[in-house]
Amino acid sequence: MHASITPAILYLGTPVVLNSTVNENGSYNLAPISSASWLGWRCLLGFEAVSKTPQNMIRTGECVINLPSADQVDAINRLSLLTGSNPVPVGKTQRSYRHKQDKFGAAGLTPIPSETVAAPRAMECPIHLEAKVAKVHRVMADEYDYSVHDRSAECTLEGIIRIEVRITRVHAHPSIMMDGHPNRIDPNRWRPLIMSFQRYYGLGDEITASRLASIPESMYRSPDIDRAHTASPTAQTRLN
Ligand SMILES: Cc1cc2nc3c(=O)[nH]c(=O)nc-3n(C[C@H](O)[C@H](O)[C@H](O)COP(=O)(O)O)c2cc1C
């Protein structure tokens, strides 16, 4: 029989991503998150709103989502408990976070230029997704009084937000590409880093033939792909 339980967290296993953004002074921030899911060429990223990353994204309208492989877990550990926010927000001091401006240096990763956004890519990560902010969604609006913060011109958001981004460029390392398919990543070669209940795992081997995979990947192609390859206007950041 199952038991009815009350776990403090429901981090049931998702890939870790490294978000790079540009700070007010032009330096770069880099932060691990695991609340990331994809629909077409859109990604929904979940943040504590006081973090530096969502504030940079709302101010600049863009970011790069870098995907580390499982063998880059040390870089994630080096970035853990660091924030680009100075001073460190109260909730984070209680969890022993420290301010660090040079997060690329702390991680031992190399910033390289992007093609469609000012935020840099993390060279050593096998996948880079350049992205523009499409919309900011409030989460837990039934719990927080967001109206107080909406009246402020500053990015003094509280609570939890989901930022929807539109991918504008995808970069993949040749080592994870499918043979004979220049636009397909090979899931047998791509080894994402998975965070489950704050601990790290890799993927095992493929376990069975997939009925879902009988659908050609090309059938999922969305208009965002064509849009990504034409000049795009500056993203308008809107709060919901
Ligand atoms: C593996 C991992 C996953 C994380 N996932 C999230 C997440 O999904 N959302 C979030 O707000 N913070 C997440 N964090 C915590 C952030 O890294 C933390 O809030 C950090 O302060 C963000 O950096 P920044 O303040 O410079 O943006 C995660 C941390 C680690 C190490």
Short mmCIF file of all heavy atoms in Angstrom, two decimals, residues 28-58:
data_model
loop_
_atom_site.label_atom_id
_atom_site.label_comp_id
_atom_site.label_asym_id
_atom_site.label_seq_id
_atom_site.Cartn_x
_atom_site.Cartn_y
_atom_site.Cartn_z
N TYR A 28 29.06 38.91 -16.26
CA TYR A 28 28.16 37.81 -16.56
C TYR A 28 27.79 37.03 -15.31
O TYR A 28 28.65 36.79 -14.46
CB TYR A 28 28.83 36.83 -17.54
CG TYR A 28 29.25 37.47 -18.85
CD1 TYR A 28 30.49 37.18 -19.41
CD2 TYR A 28 28.41 38.35 -19.51
CE1 TYR A 28 30.87 37.76 -20.62
CE2 TYR A 28 28.78 38.94 -20.71
CZ TYR A 28 30.02 38.64 -21.26
OH TYR A 28 30.40 39.21 -22.43
N ASN A 29 26.53 36.62 -15.23
CA ASN A 29 26.11 35.73 -14.16
C ASN A 29 25.86 34.34 -14.75
O ASN A 29 25.54 34.20 -15.94
CB ASN A 29 24.85 36.25 -13.47
CG ASN A 29 24.59 35.56 -12.14
OD1 ASN A 29 25.53 35.29 -11.39
ND2 ASN A 29 23.34 35.27 -11.84
N LEU A 30 26.03 33.33 -13.92
CA LEU A 30 25.84 31.94 -14.35
C LEU A 30 25.26 31.19 -13.16
O LEU A 30 25.85 31.21 -12.08
CB LEU A 30 27.19 31.34 -14.75
CG LEU A 30 27.18 29.92 -15.32
CD1 LEU A 30 26.51 29.90 -16.70
CD2 LEU A 30 28.62 29.39 -15.45
N ALA A 31 24.10 30.56 -13.35
CA ALA A 31 23.45 29.93 -12.19
C ALA A 31 22.77 28.62 -12.57
O ALA A 31 22.10 28.53 -13.61
CB ALA A 31 22.41 30.89 -11.59
N PRO A 32 22.94 27.57 -11.71
CA PRO A 32 22.26 26.31 -11.98
C PRO A 32 20.80 26.36 -11.53
O PRO A 32 20.50 26.88 -10.46
CB PRO A 32 23.05 25.30 -11.11
CG PRO A 32 23.67 26.11 -10.02
CD PRO A 32 23.80 27.52 -10.52
N ILE A 33 19.92 25.84 -12.35
CA ILE A 33 18.55 25.59 -11.92
C ILE A 33 18.09 24.25 -12.52
O ILE A 33 18.70 23.74 -13.46
CB ILE A 33 17.53 26.71 -12.29
CG1 ILE A 33 17.26 26.74 -13.78
CG2 ILE A 33 17.93 28.06 -11.78
CD1 ILE A 33 15.93 27.39 -14.08
N SER A 34 17.06 23.71 -11.94
CA SER A 34 16.57 22.42 -12.44
C SER A 34 15.08 22.49 -12.80
O SER A 34 14.53 21.50 -13.26
CB SER A 34 16.81 21.32 -11.42
OG SER A 34 16.19 21.67 -10.22
N SER A 35 14.45 23.64 -12.55
CA SER A 35 13.05 23.80 -12.97
C SER A 35 13.06 24.27 -14.42
O SER A 35 12.97 25.46 -14.69
CB SER A 35 12.34 24.82 -12.10
OG SER A 35 12.40 24.45 -10.76
N ALA A 36 13.19 23.33 -15.31
CA ALA A 36 13.25 23.67 -16.74
C ALA A 36 12.49 22.61 -17.52
O ALA A 36 12.70 21.42 -17.32
CB ALA A 36 14.70 23.73 -17.23
N SER A 37 11.57 23.06 -18.38
CA SER A 37 10.86 22.10 -19.24
C SER A 37 10.63 22.74 -20.60
O SER A 37 10.51 23.95 -20.71
CB SER A 37 9.54 21.67 -18.60
OG SER A 37 8.73 22.80 -18.34
N TRP A 38 10.57 21.89 -21.61
CA TRP A 38 10.52 22.38 -22.98
C TRP A 38 9.22 22.00 -23.67
O TRP A 38 8.70 20.90 -23.49
CB TRP A 38 11.68 21.79 -23.77
CG TRP A 38 12.99 22.42 -23.41
CD1 TRP A 38 13.57 23.50 -24.02
CD2 TRP A 38 13.87 22.05 -22.34
NE1 TRP A 38 14.76 23.81 -23.40
CE2 TRP A 38 14.96 22.95 -22.37
CE3 TRP A 38 13.85 21.06 -21.37
CZ2 TRP A 38 16.02 22.87 -21.47
CZ3 TRP A 38 14.89 20.98 -20.47
CH2 TRP A 38 15.96 21.88 -20.52
N LEU A 39 8.71 22.92 -24.45
CA LEU A 39 7.56 22.69 -25.33
C LEU A 39 7.90 23.35 -26.65
O LEU A 39 7.99 24.59 -26.72
CB LEU A 39 6.29 23.33 -24.76
CG LEU A 39 5.67 22.63 -23.55
CD1 LEU A 39 4.70 23.56 -22.84
CD2 LEU A 39 4.94 21.36 -23.98
N GLY A 40 8.10 22.56 -27.69
CA GLY A 40 8.54 23.15 -28.95
C GLY A 40 9.86 23.90 -28.75
O GLY A 40 10.75 23.40 -28.07
N TRP A 41 9.95 25.10 -29.30
CA TRP A 41 11.15 25.91 -29.10
C TRP A 41 10.92 26.93 -27.99
O TRP A 41 11.42 28.04 -28.02
CB TRP A 41 11.58 26.58 -30.42
CG TRP A 41 12.59 25.74 -31.17
CD1 TRP A 41 12.61 24.39 -31.27
CD2 TRP A 41 13.74 26.20 -31.91
NE1 TRP A 41 13.68 23.97 -32.01
CE2 TRP A 41 14.38 25.06 -32.43
CE3 TRP A 41 14.26 27.47 -32.20
CZ2 TRP A 41 15.54 25.14 -33.22
CZ3 TRP A 41 15.40 27.55 -32.99
CH2 TRP A 41 16.03 26.39 -33.49
N ARG A 42 10.07 26.58 -27.03
CA ARG A 42 9.86 27.39 -25.84
C ARG A 42 10.40 26.60 -24.64
O ARG A 42 10.38 25.37 -24.63
CB ARG A 42 8.37 27.64 -25.60
CG ARG A 42 7.68 28.35 -26.76
CD ARG A 42 7.85 29.84 -26.67
NE ARG A 42 7.58 30.48 -27.96
CZ ARG A 42 7.05 31.69 -28.09
NH1 ARG A 42 6.70 32.38 -27.02
NH2 ARG A 42 6.89 32.22 -29.27
N CYS A 43 10.85 27.33 -23.65
CA CYS A 43 11.27 26.70 -22.40
C CYS A 43 10.65 27.46 -21.25
O CYS A 43 10.56 28.70 -21.29
CB CYS A 43 12.80 26.72 -22.29
SG CYS A 43 13.41 25.93 -20.78
N LEU A 44 10.18 26.75 -20.24
CA LEU A 44 9.68 27.37 -19.01
C LEU A 44 10.71 27.13 -17.92
O LEU A 44 11.08 25.99 -17.63
CB LEU A 44 8.34 26.76 -18.62
CG LEU A 44 7.14 27.25 -19.42
CD1 LEU A 44 5.96 26.32 -19.21
CD2 LEU A 44 6.77 28.67 -19.03
N LEU A 45 11.19 28.24 -17.36
CA LEU A 45 12.20 28.18 -16.30
C LEU A 45 11.58 28.67 -15.01
O LEU A 45 10.89 29.70 -15.01
CB LEU A 45 13.39 29.08 -16.68
CG LEU A 45 14.12 28.72 -17.97
CD1 LEU A 45 14.96 29.89 -18.45
CD2 LEU A 45 15.00 27.49 -17.75
N GLY A 46 11.80 27.97 -13.92
CA GLY A 46 11.20 28.35 -12.63
C GLY A 46 12.24 28.93 -11.70
O GLY A 46 13.32 28.35 -11.52
N PHE A 47 11.93 30.09 -11.09
CA PHE A 47 12.90 30.78 -10.23
C PHE A 47 12.27 31.28 -8.95
O PHE A 47 11.13 31.72 -8.94
CB PHE A 47 13.43 32.04 -10.93
CG PHE A 47 14.20 31.80 -12.18
CD1 PHE A 47 13.60 31.98 -13.42
CD2 PHE A 47 15.53 31.42 -12.13
CE1 PHE A 47 14.31 31.78 -14.58
CE2 PHE A 47 16.25 31.23 -13.29
CZ PHE A 47 15.64 31.40 -14.52
N GLU A 48 13.11 31.33 -7.91
CA GLU A 48 12.86 32.23 -6.79
C GLU A 48 13.08 33.63 -7.34
O GLU A 48 14.18 33.92 -7.85
CB GLU A 48 13.93 31.99 -5.73
CG GLU A 48 13.56 31.15 -4.57
CD GLU A 48 14.69 31.19 -3.57
OE1 GLU A 48 15.74 30.59 -3.85
OE2 GLU A 48 14.53 31.84 -2.54
N ALA A 49 12.10 34.50 -7.24
CA ALA A 49 12.19 35.79 -7.94
C ALA A 49 13.31 36.69 -7.41
O ALA A 49 13.78 37.57 -8.12
CB ALA A 49 10.85 36.52 -7.87
N VAL A 50 13.76 36.47 -6.17
CA VAL A 50 14.82 37.33 -5.63
C VAL A 50 16.20 37.00 -6.21
O VAL A 50 17.15 37.74 -6.00
CB VAL A 50 14.95 37.24 -4.08
CG1 VAL A 50 13.73 37.80 -3.40
CG2 VAL A 50 15.24 35.81 -3.63
N SER A 51 16.31 35.90 -6.93
CA SER A 51 17.62 35.51 -7.47
C SER A 51 18.07 36.49 -8.54
O SER A 51 17.27 37.18 -9.18
CB SER A 51 17.56 34.10 -8.05
OG SER A 51 17.27 33.17 -7.04
N LYS A 52 19.38 36.55 -8.75
CA LYS A 52 19.94 37.49 -9.72
C LYS A 52 19.53 37.12 -11.15
O LYS A 52 19.25 37.99 -11.97
CB LYS A 52 21.48 37.49 -9.59
CG LYS A 52 22.17 38.59 -10.36
CD LYS A 52 21.87 39.93 -9.75
CE LYS A 52 22.48 41.07 -10.53
NZ LYS A 52 22.01 42.37 -10.01
N THR A 53 19.48 35.83 -11.43
CA THR A 53 19.22 35.40 -12.81
C THR A 53 17.87 35.90 -13.35
O THR A 53 17.84 36.53 -14.41
CB THR A 53 19.30 33.86 -12.90
OG1 THR A 53 20.61 33.47 -12.48
CG2 THR A 53 19.04 33.36 -14.31
N PRO A 54 16.74 35.66 -12.66
CA PRO A 54 15.47 36.16 -13.21
C PRO A 54 15.44 37.69 -13.29
O PRO A 54 14.84 38.25 -14.20
CB PRO A 54 14.42 35.62 -12.24
CG PRO A 54 15.15 35.30 -10.98
CD PRO A 54 16.52 34.89 -11.42
N GLN A 55 16.10 38.35 -12.35
CA GLN A 55 16.11 39.83 -12.40
C GLN A 55 16.89 40.31 -13.62
O GLN A 55 16.46 41.23 -14.31
CB GLN A 55 16.68 40.38 -11.10
CG GLN A 55 15.81 39.91 -9.91
CD GLN A 55 15.98 40.71 -8.65
OE1 GLN A 55 16.88 41.52 -8.52
NE2 GLN A 55 15.09 40.46 -7.70
N ASN A 56 18.02 39.64 -13.91
CA ASN A 56 18.76 39.98 -15.14
C ASN A 56 17.92 39.69 -16.38
O ASN A 56 17.92 40.45 -17.35
CB ASN A 56 20.07 39.18 -15.21
CG ASN A 56 21.16 39.75 -14.32
OD1 ASN A 56 21.05 40.87 -13.81
ND2 ASN A 56 22.24 38.99 -14.14
N MET A 57 17.21 38.56 -16.35
CA MET A 57 16.41 38.18 -17.53
C MET A 57 15.29 39.18 -17.78
O MET A 57 15.00 39.55 -18.92
CB MET A 57 15.83 36.77 -17.35
CG MET A 57 16.88 35.68 -17.47
SD MET A 57 16.19 34.04 -17.18
CE MET A 57 15.11 33.87 -18.60
N ILE A 58 14.64 39.63 -16.71
CA ILE A 58 13.53 40.58 -16.86
C ILE A 58 14.07 41.92 -17.35
O ILE A 58 13.47 42.58 -18.20
CB ILE A 58 12.77 40.71 -15.52
CG1 ILE A 58 12.00 39.40 -15.25
CG2 ILE A 58 11.82 41.91 -15.54
CD1 ILE A 58 11.44 39.28 -13.85
#
